[in-house]
Amino acid sequence: MKDAARRDLFHWVGMDVAKATFDAAMVLSHQHYPDTPLRDIPGATFARSREGVAKFLTWLDAFDVNPDEVRVVMEATGRYSSELAVWLLEIRPALCPAIAPPAYTAAFIKSLGVRNKTDRLEARALGFYGVERTPIPYEPMSAERAELRELNRYRDQLVRQRTAMKNRRHETCTSAFIQKNQTKRLRLLTGDITRVEQAMKELIEAHPELKRDMELLCTIYGIAFLTAATVLAELGDLRRFTYARQLTAFTGMSPSHRQSGTSIHGRSRLSKQGNPRIRQALYLSAMIAIKGDTPFRRIYRKLIAQGKPRMVALVAIMRKQLILMRAILISGKPYQPLGITPSTRGKQHKKRINFA
Protein backbone atom coordinates (compact mmCIF):
# COMPACT_ATOMS: atom_id res chain seq x y z
CA MET A 1 0.00 0.00 0.00
CA LYS A 2 2.84 2.41 0.82
CA ASP A 3 4.53 1.69 -2.52
CA ALA A 4 1.28 2.32 -4.39
CA ALA A 5 0.79 5.63 -2.59
CA ARG A 6 4.33 6.67 -3.41
CA ARG A 7 3.86 5.86 -7.11
CA ASP A 8 0.65 7.90 -7.26
CA LEU A 9 2.35 10.94 -5.78
CA PHE A 10 4.20 12.14 -8.91
CA HIS A 11 3.48 12.74 -12.57
CA TRP A 12 6.30 11.59 -14.84
CA VAL A 13 7.72 13.05 -18.03
CA GLY A 14 9.45 10.45 -20.17
CA MET A 15 12.30 11.74 -22.35
CA ASP A 16 13.94 10.06 -25.30
CA VAL A 17 17.25 11.88 -25.80
CA ALA A 18 19.16 12.14 -29.07
CA LYS A 19 22.16 14.20 -30.12
CA ALA A 20 20.27 17.27 -31.33
CA THR A 21 16.74 16.83 -29.96
CA PHE A 22 14.74 15.15 -27.22
CA ASP A 23 11.14 13.93 -27.17
CA ALA A 24 9.07 14.46 -24.03
CA ALA A 25 5.78 12.81 -23.05
CA MET A 26 3.64 13.56 -19.99
CA VAL A 27 2.15 10.64 -18.04
CA LEU A 28 -0.09 11.60 -15.13
CA SER A 29 0.13 9.75 -11.84
CA HIS A 30 -3.25 8.05 -12.24
CA GLN A 31 -2.54 6.81 -15.76
CA HIS A 32 -1.47 3.21 -16.20
CA TYR A 33 -0.80 1.03 -19.23
CA PRO A 34 -2.76 -0.56 -20.94
CA ASP A 35 -5.76 1.29 -19.48
CA THR A 36 -4.25 4.42 -21.04
CA PRO A 37 -2.91 3.62 -24.55
CA LEU A 38 0.45 5.07 -25.55
CA ARG A 39 -1.17 7.05 -28.36
CA ASP A 40 -3.22 9.04 -25.82
CA ILE A 41 -0.15 10.39 -24.04
CA PRO A 42 0.68 13.98 -25.12
CA GLY A 43 4.21 14.57 -26.35
CA ALA A 44 6.43 17.08 -28.14
CA THR A 45 9.94 17.43 -29.57
CA PHE A 46 12.47 20.02 -28.44
CA ALA A 47 16.05 20.97 -29.27
CA ARG A 48 18.60 19.46 -26.93
CA SER A 49 19.90 22.82 -25.71
CA ARG A 50 19.26 25.27 -22.91
CA GLU A 51 16.78 27.08 -25.16
CA GLY A 52 15.06 23.79 -25.87
CA VAL A 53 14.80 23.09 -22.14
CA ALA A 54 13.19 26.50 -21.63
CA LYS A 55 10.60 25.73 -24.33
CA PHE A 56 10.01 22.32 -22.75
CA LEU A 57 9.25 23.96 -19.39
CA THR A 58 6.79 26.30 -21.09
CA TRP A 59 5.10 23.25 -22.62
CA LEU A 60 5.12 21.50 -19.26
CA ASP A 61 3.58 24.44 -17.41
CA ALA A 62 0.54 24.28 -19.70
CA PHE A 63 -0.59 21.11 -17.89
CA ASP A 64 -2.94 21.59 -14.97
CA VAL A 65 -0.66 19.93 -12.42
CA ASN A 66 1.41 21.05 -9.45
CA PRO A 67 4.98 21.71 -10.76
CA ASP A 68 6.41 20.26 -7.53
CA GLU A 69 4.72 16.93 -8.28
CA VAL A 70 6.36 16.43 -11.69
CA ARG A 71 9.43 14.25 -12.21
CA VAL A 72 11.52 13.44 -15.29
CA VAL A 73 13.04 10.13 -16.40
CA MET A 74 15.29 9.45 -19.37
CA GLU A 75 17.39 6.59 -20.65
CA ALA A 76 21.16 6.79 -20.25
CA THR A 77 22.72 7.96 -23.52
CA GLY A 78 26.12 9.05 -22.30
CA ARG A 79 26.87 12.74 -22.34
CA TYR A 80 23.62 13.60 -24.14
CA SER A 81 21.43 12.51 -21.22
CA SER A 82 23.71 13.68 -18.40
CA GLU A 83 24.07 17.12 -19.97
CA LEU A 84 20.31 17.44 -20.39
CA ALA A 85 19.77 16.37 -16.78
CA VAL A 86 22.21 19.04 -15.57
CA TRP A 87 20.35 21.74 -17.55
CA LEU A 88 17.05 20.63 -16.02
CA LEU A 89 18.54 20.74 -12.53
CA GLU A 90 19.95 24.21 -13.11
CA ILE A 91 16.67 25.69 -14.37
CA ARG A 92 14.15 23.70 -12.31
CA PRO A 93 15.68 21.49 -9.59
CA ALA A 94 12.25 20.28 -8.45
CA LEU A 95 12.05 18.03 -11.54
CA CYS A 96 14.69 15.72 -9.98
CA PRO A 97 15.56 14.07 -13.34
CA ALA A 98 16.40 10.38 -13.23
CA ILE A 99 18.68 8.57 -15.68
CA ALA A 100 17.70 4.90 -15.96
CA PRO A 101 19.96 2.08 -17.21
CA PRO A 102 19.14 1.15 -20.83
CA ALA A 103 18.83 -2.54 -19.93
CA TYR A 104 16.08 -1.76 -17.43
CA THR A 105 14.12 0.55 -19.71
CA ALA A 106 14.46 -1.79 -22.70
CA ALA A 107 13.11 -4.71 -20.67
CA PHE A 108 10.20 -2.58 -19.42
CA ILE A 109 9.28 -1.35 -22.90
CA LYS A 110 9.47 -4.88 -24.23
CA SER A 111 7.11 -6.03 -21.48
CA LEU A 112 4.50 -3.57 -22.79
CA GLY A 113 4.35 -5.51 -26.06
CA VAL A 114 5.17 -2.45 -28.15
CA ARG A 115 5.74 -3.48 -31.76
CA ASN A 116 7.08 -0.19 -33.12
CA LYS A 117 10.13 1.84 -32.20
CA THR A 118 10.06 5.64 -32.51
CA ASP A 119 11.44 8.43 -30.33
CA ARG A 120 7.97 9.70 -29.40
CA LEU A 121 6.76 6.19 -28.59
CA GLU A 122 9.73 5.46 -26.35
CA ALA A 123 9.29 8.78 -24.54
CA ARG A 124 5.70 7.77 -23.74
CA ALA A 125 6.80 4.34 -22.57
CA LEU A 126 9.48 5.94 -20.38
CA GLY A 127 6.78 8.05 -18.75
CA PHE A 128 4.99 4.85 -17.71
CA TYR A 129 8.34 3.50 -16.55
CA GLY A 130 8.62 6.47 -14.20
CA VAL A 131 5.11 5.95 -12.82
CA GLU A 132 5.67 2.23 -12.24
CA ARG A 133 9.32 2.18 -11.13
CA THR A 134 9.90 5.63 -9.54
CA PRO A 135 13.65 5.71 -10.38
CA ILE A 136 15.98 7.60 -8.05
CA PRO A 137 17.14 11.11 -9.05
CA TYR A 138 20.37 11.65 -10.93
CA GLU A 139 23.29 12.96 -8.87
CA PRO A 140 25.66 14.92 -11.13
CA MET A 141 29.38 14.70 -10.48
CA SER A 142 31.42 17.70 -9.50
CA ALA A 143 33.20 19.47 -12.36
CA GLU A 144 36.63 18.12 -11.36
CA ARG A 145 35.43 14.52 -11.08
CA ALA A 146 33.66 14.78 -14.44
CA GLU A 147 36.88 16.08 -16.03
CA LEU A 148 38.87 13.30 -14.38
CA ARG A 149 36.47 10.75 -15.85
CA GLU A 150 36.87 12.22 -19.34
CA LEU A 151 40.66 12.12 -19.04
CA ASN A 152 40.61 8.57 -17.69
CA ARG A 153 38.35 7.30 -20.46
CA TYR A 154 40.41 9.08 -23.10
CA ARG A 155 43.50 7.36 -21.71
CA ASP A 156 41.72 3.99 -21.96
CA GLN A 157 40.99 4.69 -25.64
CA LEU A 158 44.65 5.51 -26.28
CA VAL A 159 45.82 2.37 -24.47
CA ARG A 160 43.48 0.21 -26.58
CA GLN A 161 44.77 1.86 -29.75
CA ARG A 162 48.37 1.24 -28.70
CA THR A 163 47.62 -2.40 -27.88
CA ALA A 164 45.97 -2.88 -31.29
CA MET A 165 48.98 -1.29 -32.99
CA LYS A 166 51.39 -3.54 -31.10
CA ASN A 167 49.38 -6.60 -32.15
CA ARG A 168 49.44 -5.51 -35.80
CA ARG A 169 53.22 -5.19 -35.67
CA HIS A 170 53.46 -8.93 -35.09
CA GLU A 171 51.73 -9.61 -38.41
CA THR A 172 53.91 -10.48 -41.39
CA CYS A 173 54.84 -7.24 -43.12
CA THR A 174 57.67 -6.77 -45.62
CA SER A 175 57.09 -3.06 -46.25
CA ALA A 176 59.74 -0.95 -44.55
CA PHE A 177 57.49 2.08 -44.88
CA ILE A 178 54.66 0.42 -42.94
CA GLN A 179 57.02 -0.80 -40.23
CA LYS A 180 58.50 2.68 -39.86
CA ASN A 181 55.04 4.28 -39.75
CA GLN A 182 53.80 1.81 -37.11
CA THR A 183 56.83 2.51 -34.93
CA LYS A 184 56.20 6.24 -35.25
CA ARG A 185 52.52 5.86 -34.30
CA LEU A 186 53.46 3.76 -31.27
CA ARG A 187 55.77 6.51 -30.04
CA LEU A 188 53.04 9.11 -30.56
CA LEU A 189 50.45 7.04 -28.68
CA THR A 190 52.85 6.41 -25.80
CA GLY A 191 53.60 10.11 -25.60
CA ASP A 192 49.89 10.97 -25.61
CA ILE A 193 49.22 8.48 -22.81
CA THR A 194 52.01 10.00 -20.72
CA ARG A 195 50.64 13.50 -21.24
CA VAL A 196 47.09 12.45 -20.33
CA GLU A 197 48.33 10.80 -17.14
CA GLN A 198 50.23 13.97 -16.26
CA ALA A 199 47.06 16.02 -16.83
CA MET A 200 45.19 13.67 -14.48
CA LYS A 201 47.84 14.13 -11.80
CA GLU A 202 47.79 17.91 -12.15
CA LEU A 203 43.99 17.94 -11.91
CA ILE A 204 44.03 15.89 -8.71
CA GLU A 205 46.83 17.99 -7.26
CA ALA A 206 44.79 21.17 -7.87
CA HIS A 207 41.81 19.91 -5.83
CA PRO A 208 42.54 19.14 -2.15
CA GLU A 209 39.55 16.81 -1.68
CA LEU A 210 40.49 14.67 -4.67
CA LYS A 211 44.13 14.65 -3.58
CA ARG A 212 43.21 13.54 -0.05
CA ASP A 213 40.98 10.75 -1.34
CA MET A 214 43.69 9.62 -3.76
CA GLU A 215 46.30 9.43 -1.01
CA LEU A 216 43.95 7.44 1.23
CA LEU A 217 43.10 4.92 -1.50
CA CYS A 218 46.76 4.44 -2.39
CA THR A 219 47.53 3.23 1.14
CA ILE A 220 45.77 -0.03 0.26
CA TYR A 221 48.21 -2.63 -1.01
CA GLY A 222 47.67 -3.22 -4.74
CA ILE A 223 45.92 0.13 -5.30
CA ALA A 224 48.09 2.55 -7.29
CA PHE A 225 47.38 5.84 -9.03
CA LEU A 226 45.51 4.55 -12.09
CA THR A 227 43.25 2.20 -10.12
CA ALA A 228 42.40 4.89 -7.58
CA ALA A 229 41.82 7.44 -10.34
CA THR A 230 39.47 5.04 -12.14
CA VAL A 231 37.42 4.46 -8.97
CA LEU A 232 37.21 8.17 -8.15
CA ALA A 233 36.34 9.07 -11.74
CA GLU A 234 33.81 6.35 -12.52
CA LEU A 235 32.06 6.00 -9.14
CA GLY A 236 32.30 9.53 -7.80
CA ASP A 237 32.32 9.89 -4.03
CA LEU A 238 32.14 6.42 -2.46
CA ARG A 239 30.73 7.96 0.73
CA ARG A 240 27.38 8.40 -1.00
CA PHE A 241 26.71 4.66 -0.74
CA THR A 242 24.89 4.05 2.54
CA TYR A 243 25.77 0.34 2.64
CA ALA A 244 28.71 -1.62 1.25
CA ARG A 245 26.37 -4.02 -0.55
CA GLN A 246 24.91 -1.08 -2.49
CA LEU A 247 28.40 -0.31 -3.79
CA THR A 248 29.13 -3.91 -4.79
CA ALA A 249 25.75 -4.20 -6.53
CA PHE A 250 26.29 -0.88 -8.33
CA THR A 251 29.61 -2.08 -9.74
CA GLY A 252 28.34 -5.55 -10.70
CA MET A 253 30.44 -7.26 -8.01
CA SER A 254 27.49 -8.98 -6.38
CA PRO A 255 26.71 -12.65 -7.16
CA SER A 256 23.99 -13.68 -9.59
CA HIS A 257 22.22 -16.97 -8.82
CA ARG A 258 20.52 -19.29 -11.32
CA GLN A 259 18.04 -21.78 -9.90
CA SER A 260 14.73 -23.18 -11.05
CA GLY A 261 12.77 -26.07 -9.56
CA THR A 262 14.74 -29.16 -8.64
CA SER A 263 16.68 -29.67 -11.87
CA ILE A 264 18.43 -26.34 -12.50
CA HIS A 265 21.07 -25.26 -10.04
CA GLY A 266 23.48 -23.13 -12.02
CA ARG A 267 26.81 -21.92 -10.70
CA SER A 268 26.73 -18.44 -9.15
CA ARG A 269 28.43 -15.79 -11.24
CA LEU A 270 29.11 -12.08 -11.11
CA SER A 271 26.11 -10.04 -12.14
CA LYS A 272 28.37 -7.73 -14.23
CA GLN A 273 25.59 -5.16 -14.42
CA GLY A 274 27.81 -2.27 -13.34
CA ASN A 275 30.65 -0.31 -14.88
CA PRO A 276 33.12 -2.73 -16.54
CA ARG A 277 35.98 -0.24 -16.13
CA ILE A 278 35.81 -0.68 -12.37
CA ARG A 279 36.02 -4.46 -12.57
CA GLN A 280 38.93 -4.27 -15.00
CA ALA A 281 40.88 -1.95 -12.71
CA LEU A 282 40.12 -4.02 -9.61
CA TYR A 283 41.14 -7.23 -11.38
CA LEU A 284 44.61 -5.85 -12.01
CA SER A 285 44.95 -4.48 -8.49
CA ALA A 286 43.82 -7.79 -6.97
CA MET A 287 46.46 -9.64 -9.01
CA ILE A 288 49.09 -7.44 -7.37
CA ALA A 289 47.57 -7.69 -3.90
CA ILE A 290 47.73 -11.50 -3.72
CA LYS A 291 51.45 -11.50 -4.58
CA GLY A 292 52.59 -9.55 -1.54
CA ASP A 293 52.76 -10.57 2.11
CA THR A 294 49.37 -9.04 2.87
CA PRO A 295 46.01 -10.04 4.38
CA PHE A 296 44.69 -10.20 0.81
CA ARG A 297 47.10 -13.00 -0.01
CA ARG A 298 46.16 -14.92 3.12
CA ILE A 299 42.45 -14.62 2.35
CA TYR A 300 43.10 -15.73 -1.22
CA ARG A 301 45.05 -18.80 -0.12
CA LYS A 302 42.39 -19.67 2.45
CA LEU A 303 39.68 -19.64 -0.21
CA ILE A 304 41.82 -21.79 -2.52
CA ALA A 305 42.38 -24.26 0.33
CA GLN A 306 38.61 -24.47 0.80
CA GLY A 307 38.28 -25.65 -2.79
CA LYS A 308 37.18 -22.36 -4.37
CA PRO A 309 38.21 -21.79 -8.01
CA ARG A 310 41.03 -19.30 -8.43
CA MET A 311 38.84 -16.77 -10.22
CA VAL A 312 36.22 -16.94 -7.45
CA ALA A 313 38.92 -16.29 -4.87
CA LEU A 314 40.31 -13.42 -6.92
CA VAL A 315 36.86 -11.83 -7.25
CA ALA A 316 36.53 -12.02 -3.47
CA ILE A 317 39.72 -9.98 -3.18
CA MET A 318 38.39 -7.46 -5.73
CA ARG A 319 35.21 -7.05 -3.72
CA LYS A 320 37.13 -6.72 -0.46
CA GLN A 321 39.35 -4.00 -1.94
CA LEU A 322 36.32 -2.06 -3.16
CA ILE A 323 34.57 -2.26 0.23
CA LEU A 324 37.81 -1.25 1.93
CA MET A 325 38.10 1.83 -0.29
CA ARG A 326 34.70 3.04 0.84
CA ALA A 327 35.52 2.31 4.47
CA ILE A 328 38.75 4.30 4.60
CA LEU A 329 37.19 7.26 2.78
CA ILE A 330 34.39 7.34 5.35
CA SER A 331 36.83 7.05 8.26
CA GLY A 332 39.36 9.43 6.73
CA LYS A 333 42.20 7.25 8.05
CA PRO A 334 44.86 5.44 5.97
CA TYR A 335 44.65 1.68 5.64
CA GLN A 336 46.79 -0.08 8.24
CA PRO A 337 46.55 -3.89 8.21
CA LEU A 338 47.43 -5.84 11.35
CA GLY A 339 51.11 -6.50 11.73
CA ILE A 340 52.24 -3.50 9.67
CA THR A 341 53.41 -0.39 11.47
CA PRO A 342 52.77 3.10 10.10
CA SER A 343 56.47 3.51 9.24
CA THR A 344 56.51 0.26 7.29
CA ARG A 345 53.33 1.19 5.45
CA GLY A 346 54.85 4.54 4.54
CA LYS A 347 57.86 2.83 2.95
CA GLN A 348 55.66 0.40 1.04
CA HIS A 349 53.47 3.12 -0.48
CA LYS A 350 55.79 6.12 -0.63
CA LYS A 351 56.38 5.77 -4.35
CA ARG A 352 52.73 5.15 -5.21
CA ILE A 353 51.17 8.07 -3.34
CA ASN A 354 53.75 10.54 -4.65
CA PHE A 355 51.69 11.25 -7.78
CA ALA A 356 52.31 14.97 -8.12
Side-chain angles (χ1 to χ4, degrees):
M1 293 297 292
K2 291 182 179 180
D3 292 341
R6 183 167 57 90
R7 286 199 299 267
D8 292 339
L9 182 61
F10 298 112
H11 315 290
W12 284 86
V13 177
M15 288 186 175
D16 186 82
V17 185
K19 179 180 180 180
T21 62
F22 68 92
D23 282 81
M26 179 67 160
V27 178
L28 301 179
S29 60
H30 65 272
Q31 294 178 318
H32 299 279
Y33 187 86
D35 297 335
T36 303
L38 292 178
R39 64 177 178 272
D40 292 346
I41 301 300
T45 303
F46 306 92
R48 198 189 67 85
S49 62
R50 294 182 183 273
E51 293 76 14
V53 171
K55 292 181 179 179
F56 158 73
L57 294 177
T58 301
W59 173 82
L60 184 62
D61 291 339
F63 291 91
D64 186 20
V65 296
N66 186 347
D68 294 333
E69 296 178 354
V70 178
R71 296 292 183 265
V72 169
V73 60
M74 63 190 78
E75 187 179 85
T77 54
R79 185 169 184 173
Y80 300 150
S81 57
S82 60
E83 195 172 46
L84 179 59
V86 169
W87 291 338
L88 290 169
L89 285 171
E90 290 176 353
I91 301 176
R92 187 173 293 183
L95 289 175
C96 298
I99 299 181
Y104 294 0
T105 57
F108 177 82
I109 295 174
K110 185 177 180 180
S111 71
L112 300 180
V114 179
R115 294 186 297 271
N116 301 314
K117 179 178 173 59
T118 65
D119 294 343
R120 182 70 58 83
L121 196 63
E122 292 205 351
R124 292 166 173 165
L126 285 171
F128 283 112
Y129 176 86
V131 171
E132 295 292 334
R133 299 291 186 265
T134 59
I136 60 176
Y138 170 67
E139 298 181 14
M141 282 187 172
S142 61
E144 60 271 16
R145 289 182 185 269
E147 183 179 357
L148 180 62
R149 182 172 60 180
E150 290 184 356
L151 288 171
N152 186 62
R153 291 186 176 184
Y154 181 56
R155 179 192 173 276
D156 286 345
Q157 294 176 8
L158 294 176
V159 170
R160 286 195 294 269
Q161 292 177 21
R162 185 176 64 176
T163 302
M165 181 59 64
K166 287 181 178 179
N167 292 336
R168 282 195 290 269
R169 289 189 69 190
H170 294 297
E171 298 177 359
T172 303
C173 180
T174 59
S175 173
F177 172 80
I178 294 178
Q179 294 176 353
K180 182 179 179 180
N181 185 263
Q182 289 178 337
T183 302
K184 180 181 178 180
R185 286 181 61 85
L186 277 175
R187 286 199 300 266
L188 291 173
L189 288 170
T190 300
D192 288 342
I193 292 172
T194 301
R195 285 185 286 272
V196 171
E197 291 177 356
Q198 183 60 34
M200 294 169 63
K201 293 175 182 178
E202 292 174 358
L203 174 66
I204 294 173
E205 183 71 24
H207 295 86
E209 182 181 353
L210 270 180
K211 182 180 179 181
R212 183 180 64 253
D213 289 352
M214 173 67 71
E215 291 176 342
L216 286 172
L217 294 184
C218 287
T219 60
I220 303 175
Y221 194 91
I223 305 296
F225 172 77
L226 290 176
T227 301
T230 300
V231 171
L232 293 175
E234 297 294 338
L235 296 180
D237 191 352
L238 299 185
R239 303 175 187 88
R240 66 190 177 96
F241 294 95
T242 307
Y243 303 105
R245 62 176 179 270
Q246 292 176 335
L247 175 59
T248 56
F250 186 80
T251 55
M253 297 291 294
S254 57
S256 176
H257 305 288
R258 182 171 178 267
Q259 183 273 333
S260 179
T262 59
S263 59
I264 299 178
H265 296 277
R267 179 180 297 178
S268 298
R269 301 179 182 273
L270 280 182
S271 64
K272 295 187 178 181
Q273 292 187 355
N275 193 325
R277 293 181 176 88
I278 298 298
R279 294 193 296 274
Q280 180 182 6
L282 290 176
Y283 174 81
L284 297 175
S285 66
M287 290 292 291
I288 299 298
I290 62 175
K291 294 181 180 179
D293 186 14
T294 65
F296 299 119
R297 184 181 184 182
R298 291 190 285 273
I299 294 173
Y300 177 79
R301 288 187 170 181
K302 180 180 178 181
L303 292 173
I304 295 297
Q306 293 175 353
K308 300 292 185 181
R310 293 184 181 275
M311 183 55 69
V312 172
L314 189 64
V315 169
I317 301 302
M318 294 165 56
R319 185 176 183 275
K320 189 170 186 65
Q321 283 186 322
L322 184 62
I323 294 175
L324 191 56
M325 289 183 200
R326 170 184 170 273
I328 67 170
L329 289 183
I330 292 176
S331 67
K333 299 179 181 179
Y335 174 60
Q336 183 178 340
L338 296 176
I340 298 182
T341 63
S343 59
T344 305
R345 185 189 66 242
K347 293 179 181 179
Q348 287 182 345
H349 295 277
K350 183 177 180 181
K351 183 180 294 185
R352 282 188 281 156
I353 65 175
N354 185 20
F355 54 83

